[in-house]
Amino acid sequence: MAGGAAIIFLAVGLCFLWRKKKLQFLLNLKGKHEKRGSLEKSQDLLITDGVFTSNREQSNENNMDDLELPFFDFNTITMATNNFSEQNKLGQGGFGIVYKGRLLEGQDIAVKRLSKNSGQGVEEFKNEVKLIVKLQHRNLVRLLGCSFEIDEKVLVYEYMENRSLDAILFDKAKRSSLDWQTRFNIICGIARGLLYLHQDSRFRIIHRDLKASNILLDREINPKISDFGMARIFGTDQTEANTVRVVGTYGYMSPEYAMDGIFSVKSDVFSFGVLVMEIISGTKNRELEALERRKSFGTD
């Protein structure tokens, strides 16, 4: 009698466990489906918003719709950055704030979040995705993926341990760590990245905002060009272009671009020249101009 009751009790228990596991499986399956649906919706939004379509007014290239970019769930990014904590803030630009994050598997990332108050951020976001996702070079920062929802636009990059060049170069306490060999290596690395953009990449790309704060340094102080929000693609037979909307940073702009809106590979070369002077001297270009002005008036 007791044995029969035990068998019945055991059967009921096994049945209960089986139903519980089945329910859990269905819930997990539903969650994955909803997550996949959210990501597909994000991808659809990206595509319909024009991120994956070429801008023929800006370029003769029209084969840029075959991009393969991983999409991150926004909740994953929120967790990685500790809910975009102020303590995780790395810097801020026209696009928005950049945060340090860490994924569950332990990988460090840099997260660029579009500011909702940024007037030009959406266009920069589209441009950054269109251009950098297909660029592969050791001296260009690597885009790992993005997250795109109705109210949130986020780009995910590899994390650069030594942040930006200007943070070291123009800091009196830190610049001593940049010996001449290191500075020479940084100059050569930037030159290689620029040559790739202008000549060796799939598309000829004009960066238009090459400056010390857009040069990131990895653990070994290797330089990587970043921030392609203002970059433009040139056709293979195109030598220059004109714009009524001059963007970039004064002090690094070539005269013909700053005054007439004409830009070409020469514009980036001019910026590179200013950058080389800064790296050698350890002085910001505006300070160099002031120094030259004092010398010309014999006040130094």
Side-chain angles (χ1 to χ4, degrees):
M1 187 78 175
I7 292 173
I8 294 175
F9 180 78
L10 181 61
V12 172
L14 290 174
C15 181
F16 175 78
L17 289 175
W18 179 80
R19 288 175 60 86
K20 183 178 180 181
K21 287 185 177 181
K22 182 178 179 181
L23 179 61
Q24 186 63 44
F25 172 78
L26 292 174
L27 288 174
N28 291 338
L29 188 63
K30 180 182 179 182
K32 290 180 180 179
H33 177 74
E34 289 177 348
K35 182 178 180 180
R36 187 182 301 112
S38 176
L39 293 180
E40 290 174 351
K41 182 180 180 181
S42 298
Q43 295 182 33
D44 290 342
L45 286 171
L46 259 173
I47 294 170
T48 56
D49 201 33
V51 174
F52 286 111
T53 59
S54 73
N55 190 337
R56 298 186 183 182
E57 295 179 356
Q58 298 175 351
S59 169
N60 293 330
E61 303 288 348
N62 52 23
N63 188 27
M64 296 196 65
D65 56 351
D66 57 341
L67 304 179
E68 297 177 2
L69 184 65
F71 282 77
F72 288 84
D73 181 66
F74 186 72
N75 291 332
T76 300
I77 302 300
T78 302
M79 291 176 58
T81 58
N82 193 20
N83 197 23
F84 298 99
S85 165
E86 186 70 20
Q87 288 73 24
N88 287 36
K89 182 177 176 180
L90 296 175
Q92 186 169 0
F95 182 100
I97 301 177
V98 181
Y99 299 88
K100 179 182 178 181
R102 175 167 290 183
L103 300 176
L104 292 177
E105 56 268 26
Q107 180 183 5
D108 289 331
I109 56 175
V111 176
K112 186 188 287 188
R113 185 186 192 188
L114 174 64
S115 171
K116 296 180 180 179
N117 298 322
S118 175
Q120 59 182 8
V122 174
E123 291 303 317
E124 291 181 4
F125 179 92
K126 295 177 184 178
N127 208 55
E128 188 107 5
V129 173
K130 285 194 298 182
L131 295 184
I132 198 173
V133 70
K134 281 295 184 181
L135 301 176
Q136 297 292 331
H137 192 273
R138 62 180 297 182
N139 294 115
L140 302 182
V141 69
R142 189 160 59 96
L143 181 64
L144 302 179
C146 68
S147 176
F148 186 91
E149 296 187 2
I150 295 176
D151 296 323
E152 295 286 354
K153 299 177 180 65
V154 171
L155 296 176
V156 181
Y157 295 90
E158 60 178 327
Y159 176 68
M160 305 295 284
E161 289 82 354
N162 285 294
R163 303 194 182 185
S164 59
L165 175 60
D166 66 323
I168 300 178
L169 186 62
F170 303 137
D171 189 303
K172 294 181 179 180
K174 297 179 180 179
R175 70 175 60 162
S176 59
S177 63
L178 299 177
D179 57 29
W180 288 116
Q181 184 61 51
T182 302
R183 296 185 191 214
F184 178 74
N185 292 339
I186 290 174
I187 292 172
C188 290
I190 298 171
R192 285 193 297 268
L194 203 57
L195 180 64
Y196 172 78
L197 293 176
H198 291 172
Q199 182 173 307
D200 298 332
S201 66
R202 180 180 173 188
F203 307 105
R204 177 176 294 174
I205 295 174
I206 314 301
H207 188 278
R208 295 207 301 172
D209 197 23
L210 193 67
K211 57 183 178 181
S213 59
N214 284 339
I215 304 299
L216 304 183
L217 303 174
D218 66 12
R219 189 191 305 270
E220 287 77 31
I221 317 295
N222 295 312
K224 300 195 178 187
I225 300 173
S226 69
D227 200 343
F228 288 79
M230 299 177 183
R232 289 294 179 266
I233 301 175
F234 269 19
T236 54
D237 58 347
Q238 188 177 3
T239 58
E240 66 179 34
N242 187 276
T243 180
V244 295
R245 180 173 174 260
V246 176
V247 295
T249 305
Y250 288 108
Y252 293 91
M253 290 184 187
S254 62
E256 68 273 14
Y257 180 50
M259 293 186 293
D260 301 320
I262 299 173
F263 63 94
S264 64
V265 294
K266 297 177 182 178
S267 308
D268 282 351
V269 172
F270 181 93
S271 302
F272 175 69
V274 175
L275 188 52
V276 169
M277 292 177 63
E278 290 183 328
I279 294 172
I280 293 174
S281 67
T283 310
K284 291 183 180 180
N285 64 76
R286 291 180 180 177
E287 295 176 13
L288 280 174
E289 291 176 359
L291 178 62
E292 291 298 323
R293 193 178 300 113
R294 287 197 299 270
K295 286 183 177 180
S296 66
F297 286 97
T299 58
D300 191 11

